[in-house]
């Protein structure tokens, strides 16, 4: 079956702009999580959604937000982009809500 | 702060050798400990995971050893192959947090 699909794969934005990233989970998976990966900080948890409800949020500023739709697809939004937001943003889905996460290949965001 | 500490940062092993990566944690509420493998340009892929009620789990050439009293766990890759060259991440989560706390990663190079 199809894996976790993230679009777009690459994105270049200017400081101050906003960006929306999309994630389609594995069919049947209702839990979707987002992570930020940078060389300095590694993999850091952003937030997790289950059945359209945010169940947990990591330690990121309010500029980072997300949502999940009724078909389990998820989007994350970053407003007022900063240079430090340049990272690989990874989406992961799970049927068990917390265990056995499958990751997508990520969206590489570059802020200039 | 980093809830899961991983070492070493990098590792070079000859083909056929044993690769060992170690992780330590402080939060005794963690009850799920997965290992992920990541190749360049790809998202992390779940390799193997363990719960604290067992001390060892083996899947093929990959073994997790878990020491609950020491709050440590490790990944052993037996008969390491050049195709195992990747970055490995340990992680930990609780049964209610839905968030994976990742180690900083170990870059493994298996030489022919």
């Amino acid at each position: 079956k199809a894996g976790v699909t993230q679009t777009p794969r690459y994105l270049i934005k200017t400081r101050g702009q906003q960006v929306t990233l999309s994630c389609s989970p594995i069919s049947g998976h209702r839990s979707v999580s987002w992570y930020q990966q940078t060389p300095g900080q590694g993999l850091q948890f952003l937030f997790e959604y289950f059945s359209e409800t945010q169940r947990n949020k990591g330690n990121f500023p309010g500029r980072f937000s997300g949502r999940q739709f009724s078909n389990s697809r998820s989007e994350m939004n970053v407003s007022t982009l900063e240079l430090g937001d340049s990272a690989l943003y990874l989406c992961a889905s799970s049927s068990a809500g917390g265990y056995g996460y499958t990751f997508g290949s990520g969206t590489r965001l570059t802020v200039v | 702060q980093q809830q899961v500490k991983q070492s070493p940062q990098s590792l070079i092993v000859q083909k056929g050798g044993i690769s060992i990566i170690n992780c330590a944690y402080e939060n005794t509420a963690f009850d799920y400990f997965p290992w992920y493998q990541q190749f360049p340009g790809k998202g992390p892929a779940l390799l193997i995971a363990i719960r604290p009620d067992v001390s060892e789990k083996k899947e093929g050439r990959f073994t997790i050893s878990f020491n609950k009293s020491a709050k440590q766990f490790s990944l052993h890759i037996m008969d390491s192959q050049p195709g195992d060259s990747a970055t490995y991440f340990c992680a930990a989560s609780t049964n209610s947090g839905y968030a994976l706390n990742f180690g900083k990663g170990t870059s493994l190079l298996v030489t022919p």
Side-chain angles (χ1 to χ4, degrees):
Chain A
K1 58 184 177 182
V4 177
T5 303
Q6 291 188 246
T7 56
R9 285 297 311 274
Y10 302 92
L11 209 46
I12 300 176
K13 289 287 188 179
T14 304
R15 267 182 303 175
Q17 287 186 314
Q18 75 165 23
V19 67
T20 299
L21 312 182
S22 180
C23 172
S24 293
I26 290 173
S27 178
H29 285 190
R30 294 167 64 190
S31 172
V32 174
S33 291
W34 289 88
Y35 290 80
Q36 181 195 65
Q37 185 174 25
T38 60
Q41 298 300 316
L43 283 149
Q44 293 188 289
F45 172 75
L46 281 156
F47 24 67
E48 189 265 355
Y49 289 89
F50 185 87
S51 293
E52 302 179 67
T53 299
Q54 185 183 90
R55 295 194 295 188
N56 197 3
K57 188 178 186 332
N59 189 25
F60 278 82
R63 301 185 296 107
F64 291 81
S65 63
R67 59 178 175 167
Q68 186 181 34
F69 302 96
S70 58
N71 61 359
S72 293
R73 194 176 68 83
S74 178
E75 289 181 348
M76 69 162 281
N77 184 276
V78 187
S79 62
T80 319
L81 284 165
E82 300 177 359
L83 294 179
D85 297 333
S86 295
L88 180 67
Y89 289 89
L90 292 158
C91 168
S93 74
S94 167
S95 61
Y99 306 110
Y101 275 110
T102 299
F103 282 81
S105 292
T107 294
R108 171 76 62 186
L109 172 66
T110 302
V111 182
V112 296
Chain B
Q1 72 280 20
Q2 197 76 22
Q3 294 205 50
V4 179
K5 291 186 166 61
Q6 183 173 346
S7 63
Q9 193 172 4
S10 62
L11 183 60
I12 300 175
V13 173
Q14 282 197 327
K15 179 182 174 181
I18 303 174
S19 303
I20 302 174
I21 305 170
N22 301 298
C23 287
Y25 65 96
E26 286 299 323
N27 188 348
T28 54
F30 287 149
D31 73 339
Y32 175 67
F33 302 88
W35 284 88
Y36 281 83
Q37 177 191 56
Q38 186 176 28
F39 292 104
K42 300 288 188 183
L46 179 63
L47 258 182
I48 186 173
I50 198 169
R51 302 286 180 113
D53 52 345
V54 297
S55 60
E56 186 175 282
K57 182 174 180 180
K58 184 175 179 177
E59 287 184 5
R61 296 184 294 108
F62 301 92
T63 299
I64 299 180
S65 296
F66 187 83
N67 186 329
K68 189 174 180 178
S69 60
K71 291 184 281 187
Q72 294 175 347
F73 58 111
S74 60
L75 176 70
H76 290 64
I77 306 174
M78 312 300 287
D79 187 27
S80 299
Q81 299 295 313
D84 297 331
S85 298
T87 302
Y88 292 80
F89 295 92
C90 61
S93 68
T94 68
N95 63 4
S96 59
Y98 313 111
L100 288 167
N101 297 273
F102 283 92
K104 289 276 188 147
T106 296
S107 178
L108 171 66
L109 176 64
V110 181
T111 59

